[in-house]
Amino acid sequence: MAIRTERAVAGVAEVVLDVPPVNALPSSAFRELARVVRAVGDDPDTRVLVLRSGVPRGFAAGVDVREMTEGGARAVVEVTRACAHAYAAVDECAAPVVAAVHGFCLATGVGLVGGADVVVAADDATFGLPEVDAGGLGTVTQLARLVPEKKARWLAYSGRRVGAADVARWGGVDAVVPRDDLLTTTRDVAATLAAKSPLVLRRARASLHAIDPVDARRSFRREMGLVFELNLTPAPDEARAAFAGGKP
């Protein structure tokens, strides 16, 4: 199952990304993720939602590049719409969201984590946007919630990755822990929040979303419009063909 839900702590729902080997999600999985996050977040028994990976190698590697390569312009639209729905579901979730990140957190991984309220990272976690190298654009809206503006620009242009310790130093990650302690620490953080009044906690989440200076849904959709324009040229197909043979 690509997306599953587990409950190990009272009041905490864990939404798990499980698309081996690297959580490169097809559009169908993004749509399912959006549906699950909204349903779980709207469940009154959910006080906190944890978003994590069930894949040992990392949190998420991005979209399924093959879907975009083989499907042409229609697939580009389908994938970008599905990503937009998933990002918005996390960003607009009624319950606070805690993200647990290990290994690589790339492209759509950054997009999902950028919408979380609290990020706990393993000491092996790295964050990056390989979009330009893969003939794409986007997700800088969410990256800018994790790193300073000039770092976001550098990472977007260069495709370089940055470690969890640096992102924590810039304020985008709340805690960096040994890989073996990631799940326990994340559940402790979630339990701390779940002990609060659920009504007050949800209203706090709504109020923080309401005062966000950036409309993430609108901003990302503008990015995706530029992605479609770019895909009217041959450059993305050439870049994706080269990138598809690489590894995260």
Side-chain angles (χ1 to χ4, degrees), residues 40-191:
V40 171
D42 289 342
D43 184 344
D45 290 334
T46 301
R47 297 190 175 197
V48 179
L49 187 151
V50 167
L51 185 63
R52 65 178 180 87
S53 167
V55 173
R57 290 179 60 186
F59 180 79
V63 301
D64 185 345
V65 176
R66 290 172 302 178
E67 181 177 3
M68 298 180 73
T69 301
E70 297 169 3
R74 183 179 296 276
V76 171
V77 172
E78 190 67 25
V79 170
T80 55
R81 281 181 174 172
C83 286
H85 289 319
Y87 292 0
V90 175
D91 187 46
E92 299 165 6
C93 184
V97 178
V98 179
V101 181
H102 70 274
F104 46 78
C105 181
L106 307 175
T108 55
V110 170
L112 296 170
V113 171
D117 297 286
V118 181
V119 182
V120 181
D123 52 13
D124 68 347
T126 58
F127 300 77
L129 294 186
E131 272 82 346
V132 168
D133 290 337
L137 306 170
T139 312
V140 181
T141 296
Q142 289 76 20
L143 177 65
R145 290 177 164 180
L146 298 172
V147 306
E149 178 195 353
K150 291 299 186 286
K151 287 295 182 182
R153 290 172 181 262
W154 165 245
L155 295 175
Y157 297 152
S158 68
R160 297 282 182 86
R161 303 184 191 185
V162 63
D166 283 331
V167 180
R169 180 163 54 85
W170 298 324
V173 165
D174 185 68
V176 180
V177 300
R179 172 72 175 269
D180 290 344
D181 297 337
L182 178 62
L183 188 54
T184 299
T185 302
T186 302
R187 287 172 173 170
D188 287 344
V189 169

Side-chain angles (χ1 to χ4, degrees), residues 191-217:
T192 298
L193 298 182
K196 312 290 184 181
S197 163
L199 177 59
V200 175
L201 198 61
R202 283 173 176 259
R203 295 315 301 163
R205 222 288 180 168
S207 68
L208 288 171
H209 181 75
I211 65 172
D212 196 315
V214 176
D215 184 332
R217 180 190 284 264

